[in-house]
Amino acid sequence: MKLYRFLSEQDTSAFCHKVTEALNNGWMLHGSPTQAWDHAAGVMRCGQAVTKEVDGTYTPDTKLGEQ
């Protein structure tokens, strides 16, 4: 099955570390990264979609971060 996650974080090194960790756990980048201004918090936010092929059958209980 193919899994999809959207990683997001404030535009700091924490975002890069989150994406790097996903890549090192077998996730693949899907599309381009995105940025948006968070008016409420007054910070820039980043996002990146990632996908991963794994064995099994998807259910809504699948723990994506544990794959």
Side-chain angles (χ1 to χ4, degrees):
M1 79 176 132
K2 183 175 252 185
L3 302 177
Y4 171 90
R5 292 175 67 193
F6 185 76
L7 306 174
S8 62
E9 183 70 53
Q10 186 173 334
D11 187 12
T12 66
S13 62
F15 174 72
C16 295
H17 288 289
K18 186 182 278 191
V19 174
T20 298
E21 180 180 20
L23 294 174
N24 281 287
N25 286 325
W27 292 84
M28 303 292 292
L29 297 176
H30 181 80
S32 299
T34 186
Q35 287 186 312
W37 180 253
D38 181 340
H39 292 279
V43 297
M44 187 67 82
R45 302 263 180 210
C46 297
Q48 174 66 57
V50 292
T51 60
K52 184 177 186 181
E53 288 282 345
V54 298
D55 292 333
T57 302
Y58 172 78
T59 70
D61 296 327
T62 302
K63 304 293 186 207
L64 299 176
E66 296 174 6
Q67 295 295 320

